[in-house]
């Protein structure tokens, strides 16, 4: 893990309320693995004081991207950054997705902004020559912010929107069984709202291995403060460094 | 050359800047990104007799200029601390002060005795944790109970005894006097201030335990006031803490009467906060023409 002053290379508004920040750091770009995160100081303010954790969304040569959904003061600050600004960042942190095992076909399940680390994972799976399918849900078509990026990376995207403006209408979890049958995967990787993760975990229990990326409020982000724990079969574990990716069977929902 | 060294009842520190209990675990995680050997001292997360699971999540909320936490003393127990963490911390050649918590006097005594036998540099008695049902703040908000636990631990150990006071009392000087009369060598203050937040969409408390401990810059004026009051009331050295983020904040505590200071919540924003404060203090003293840190302790013109 490093602590760097990363320069903002670009800040692109993807859709209303979602920004893609490209940050320059060769250390983080080189070391980051899909599912790991960076811990970002959102300005030198004294009002909201904690860093914010964000999954690494993609890496390039010498830089990496974060996909930021604007929800509060910290993310508003990030959304207003301009090229050339500097950010205090710690990372890469945590245990990412385990994707080197013996499997053929994976299904990646993304709810909303939970797509961020799964694009990175899909790219690595493609490099490894794996067959990868994607179940992607959001409230509206606009919320499917990575649909175009994914089209070149995975075999097929099964899209679901709550308002029916694109793909199937309803909640992603209502279509999980259908997508599972269609693609017949032997690995599941999921990131999104906790309720979605719980349902995906329950649907896959005892069938195929499923890994979930959890999100928690964090303070230190490096395993010291014990603020971000989740309940597992081995007791409370730290989402920051024991996760954020866990085997779904470990989690007590 | 500016002399930053301080002596806390025999705990000799090369500078007055420590890291506060609970924010730094046992240093291992931070050692990857900051140089522990430059610190005045490390104060570990609370250690209890047996392993503790801690409280149900959610355990943390961000609040204006602060955080509200309720970790619940999660730790692996004193045996594990002595086996795994103490040898690690000894490698940095700085004083190791161990924060001790317990459900009852017997537990405080048993843990403190083990640590004293292992020759830690100091024991900090946590009679001020607001997030446990037994022990903790129950002791620290009752002058008689404070005296009982302090005097029992004092008899059992041969290393300096620091007592960490709770701000959740009507008169902190009463607790301070009681602790000192019972044998406290040093006082540290303040622990967190009891608080509560409510999610106005879900109508639920922000923390699973409903209430928690508030820390960060939000509590700094409360802490400075209490350090100043206690410094008037007792003769022992004081470790001041509560929302210290930068060197000027530390100077406030020193002027109020603290001999040393501890950095807590700021570690989360800036893992090198304590080191930057050490440099900042040196710069401050040089700029004002002082040669040693002791020259400004208690110098507020109030």
């Amino acid at each position: 893990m490093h602590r760097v002053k990363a320069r903002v290379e670009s800040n692109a508004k993807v859709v209303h309320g979602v920004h893609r920040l490209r940050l320059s750091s060769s250390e983080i770009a080189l070391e980051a693995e899909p599912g790991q995160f960076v811990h970002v100081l959102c300005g030198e303010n004294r009002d909201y004081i904690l860093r914010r954790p964000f999954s690494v969304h993609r890496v390039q040569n010498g830089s990496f991207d974060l996909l930021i959904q604007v929800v509060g003061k910290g993310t508003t600050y990030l959304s207003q950054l301009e090229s050339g600004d500097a950010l205090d960042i710690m990372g890469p942190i945590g245990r990412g997705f385990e994707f080197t095992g013996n499997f053929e076909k994976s299904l990646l399940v993304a709810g909303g902004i939970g797509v961020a680390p799964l694009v990175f994972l899909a790219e690595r799976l493609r490099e490894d020559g794996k067959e990868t399918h994607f179940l992607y849900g959001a409230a509206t078509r606009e919320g499917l912010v990575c649909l175009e990026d994914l089209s070149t990376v995975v075999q097929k995207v099964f899209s679901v929107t709550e308002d029916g403006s694109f793909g199937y209408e309803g909640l992603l979890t209502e279509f999980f069984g259908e997508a599972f049958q269609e693609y017949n995967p032997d690995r599941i990787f999921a990131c999104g709202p906790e309720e979605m993760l719980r349902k995906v975990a329950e649907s896959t229990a005892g069938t195929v291995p499923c890994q979930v990326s959890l999100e928690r409020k964090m303070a230190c982000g490096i395993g010291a403060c014990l603020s971000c724990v989740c309940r597992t079969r081995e007791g409370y574990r730290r989402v920051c460094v024991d996760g954020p990716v866990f085997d779904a069977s470990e989690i007590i929902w | 050359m500016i002399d930053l060294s301080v002596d806390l009842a025999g705990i000799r520190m090369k500078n007055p800047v420590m890291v506060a209990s609970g924010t730094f675990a046992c240093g291992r995680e931070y050692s990857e990104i900051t140089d522990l050997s430059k610190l005045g001292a490390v104060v570990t997360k609370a250690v209890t007799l047996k392993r503790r699971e801690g409280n149900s999540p959610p355990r943390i909320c961000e609040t204006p200029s602060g955080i509200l936490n309720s970790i619940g003393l999660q730790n692996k127990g004193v045996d594990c601390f002595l086996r795994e963490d103490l040898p690690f911390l000894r490698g940095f050649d700085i004083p190791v002060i161990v924060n001790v918590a317990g459900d009852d006097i017997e537990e405080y005594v048993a843990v403190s005795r083990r640590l004293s036998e292992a020759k830690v540099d100091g024991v900090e008695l946590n009679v001020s944790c607001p997030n446990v049902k037994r022990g903790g703040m129950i002791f620290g908000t009752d002058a008689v109970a404070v005296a009982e636990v302090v005097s029992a631990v004092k008899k059992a150990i041969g290393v300096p005894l620091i007592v960490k006071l709770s701000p959740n009392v009507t008169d902190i000087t009463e607790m301070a006097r009681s602790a000192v009369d019972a044998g406290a060598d040093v006082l540290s203050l303040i622990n967190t201030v009891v608080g509560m937040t409510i999610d106005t969409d879900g109508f639920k408390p922000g923390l699973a335990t409903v209430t928690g401990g508030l820390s960060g810059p939000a509590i700094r004026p409360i802490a400075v006031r209490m350090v100043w009051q206690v410094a008037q009331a007792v003769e022992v050295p004081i470790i001041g803490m509560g929302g210290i983020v930068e060197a000027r904040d530390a100077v406030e505590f020193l002027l109020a009467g603290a001999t040393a200071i501890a950095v807590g919540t700021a570690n989360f924003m800036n893992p090198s906060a304590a080191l930057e404060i050490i440099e900042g203090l040196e710069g401050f003293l040089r700029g004002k023409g002082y040669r040693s840190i002791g020259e400004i302790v208690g110098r507020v013109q109030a």
Side-chain angles (χ1 to χ4, degrees), chain A residues 68-250:
Chain A
I68 310 274
Q69 184 164 39
V70 180
V71 292
K73 289 177 182 172
T75 45
T76 298
Y77 170 85
L78 296 178
S79 73
Q80 292 164 349
L81 290 170
E82 294 175 4
S83 303
D85 289 344
L87 271 184
D88 179 338
I89 293 183
M90 289 156 61
I93 304 174
R95 201 177 67 160
F97 293 104
E98 173 53 53
F99 60 96
T100 54
N102 183 25
F103 65 95
E104 299 299 323
K105 230 192 295 183
S106 57
L107 176 62
L108 276 50
V109 184
I113 201 71
V115 73
L118 293 176
V119 174
F120 188 10
L121 176 63
E123 288 175 337
R124 285 291 166 87
L125 289 170
R126 185 184 58 176
E127 288 167 21
D128 291 352
K130 305 277 193 194
E131 183 179 337
T132 307
H133 300 278
F134 215 95
L135 173 60
Y136 191 9
T140 64
R141 165 67 185 89
E142 199 179 40
L144 298 170
V145 292
C146 293
L147 211 49
E148 285 73 29
D149 291 342
L150 284 169
S151 63
T152 59
V153 182
V154 302
Q155 269 71 20
K156 197 169 175 200
V157 181
F158 189 120
S159 301
V160 183
T161 55
E162 288 174 38
D163 67 353
S165 53
F166 191 81
Y168 291 87
E169 179 175 344
L171 287 172
L172 175 153
T173 46
E174 294 165 25
F175 295 92
F176 179 77
E178 198 174 314
F180 188 88
Q181 282 204 327
E182 185 175 338
Y183 305 128
N184 194 29
D186 51 4
R187 278 291 187 286
I188 308 280
F189 301 96
C191 184
E194 185 120 337
E195 185 63 9
M196 178 203 102
L197 296 178
R198 184 179 68 79
K199 286 185 173 160
V200 168
E202 285 171 2
S203 308
T204 57
T207 58
V208 301
C210 173
Q211 293 171 34
V212 292
S213 176
L214 300 185
E215 183 174 49
R216 286 290 184 284
K217 286 177 180 165
M218 285 178 191
C220 73
I222 58 173
C225 72
L226 310 179
S227 297
C228 65
V229 298
C230 63
R231 192 185 285 273
T232 76
R233 300 197 186 283
E234 294 171 36
Y236 290 126
R237 301 193 72 197
R238 302 164 295 182
V239 168
C240 62
V241 293
D242 299 321
V245 176
F246 291 90
D247 195 295
S249 63
E250 290 177 56

Side-chain angles (χ1 to χ4, degrees), chain B:
Chain B
M1 188 67 190
I2 308 285
D3 181 11
L4 288 179
S5 68
V6 296
D7 184 323
L8 284 178
I11 304 172
R12 301 163 82 89
M13 300 174 13
K14 56 179 171 278
N15 65 66
V17 180
M18 322 162 76
V19 286
S21 177
T23 61
F24 215 72
C26 291
R28 203 179 295 272
E29 295 79 7
Y30 281 94
S31 67
E32 229 186 292
I33 40 174
T34 194
D35 185 357
L36 303 194
S37 68
K38 290 185 175 160
L39 294 170
V42 162
V43 186
T44 69
K45 178 156 179 68
V47 174
T48 53
L49 193 56
K50 303 282 182 213
R51 174 191 179 86
R52 291 208 190 182
E53 283 295 311
N55 292 334
S56 297
R59 293 178 171 183
I60 191 167
C61 285
E62 198 177 41
T63 59
S65 300
I67 54 174
L68 196 66
N69 88 82
S70 179
I71 310 298
L73 303 181
Q74 180 178 339
N75 79 101
K76 292 183 277 185
V78 68
D79 288 333
C80 188
F81 172 81
L82 291 173
R83 197 170 56 240
E84 294 177 7
D85 295 322
L86 187 58
F88 172 80
L89 282 169
R90 286 249 164 86
F92 296 94
D93 198 27
I94 52 171
V96 177
I97 295 165
V98 184
N99 187 280
V100 172
D103 277 350
D104 48 36
I105 291 179
E106 289 69 32
E107 186 175 359
Y108 279 104
V109 169
V111 177
S112 302
R113 182 179 283 132
R114 295 287 307 280
L115 295 166
S116 175
E117 285 164 3
K119 298 201 164 37
V120 302
D121 297 280
V123 163
E124 182 180 67
L125 221 51
N126 181 349
V127 290
S128 42
C129 175
N131 299 324
V132 287
K133 289 200 183 76
R134 294 193 290 165
M137 203 175 86
I138 311 285
F139 283 101
T141 52
D142 175 337
V144 175
V146 165
E148 282 173 2
V149 68
V150 171
S151 123
V153 170
K154 179 70 181 175
K155 285 188 197 105
I157 66 173
V159 297
L161 176 58
I162 302 165
V163 177
K164 186 163 182 178
L165 299 179
S166 169
N168 304 293
V169 292
T170 308
D171 179 3
I172 195 161
T173 63
E174 186 192 352
M175 302 303 147
R177 284 195 196 93
S178 181
V180 171
D181 290 346
D185 300 304
V186 179
L187 297 178
S188 59
L189 60 145
I190 58 177
N191 205 318
T192 56
V193 178
V194 176
M196 176 174 174
T197 62
I198 299 172
D199 165 13
T200 49
D201 288 320
F203 287 21
K204 283 186 177 166
L207 298 174
T209 51
V210 183
T211 62
L214 182 63
S215 65
I219 68 166
R220 193 190 310 133
I222 299 173
V224 171
R225 182 264 292 182
M226 289 187 161
V227 166
W228 178 72
Q229 287 179 317
V230 170
Q232 315 298 306
V234 299
E235 297 293 325
V236 303
I238 295 169
I239 306 166
M241 70 198 76
I244 296 175
V245 174
E246 55 196 22
R248 287 269 176 179
D249 306 337
V251 170
E252 274 197 71
F253 282 85
L254 297 167
L255 291 173
T259 298
I261 62 98
V263 179
T265 302
N267 295 317
F268 302 150
M269 308 151 62
N270 174 9
S272 300
L275 302 190
E276 289 170 19
I277 287 168
I278 296 165
E279 283 179 20
L281 281 177
E282 194 170 350
F284 177 85
L285 294 172
R286 182 175 291 118
K288 296 277 185 193
Y290 294 106
R291 278 169 301 182
S292 75
I293 194 84
E295 289 175 57
I296 66 166
V297 170
R299 289 285 300 276
V300 62
Q301 296 166 9

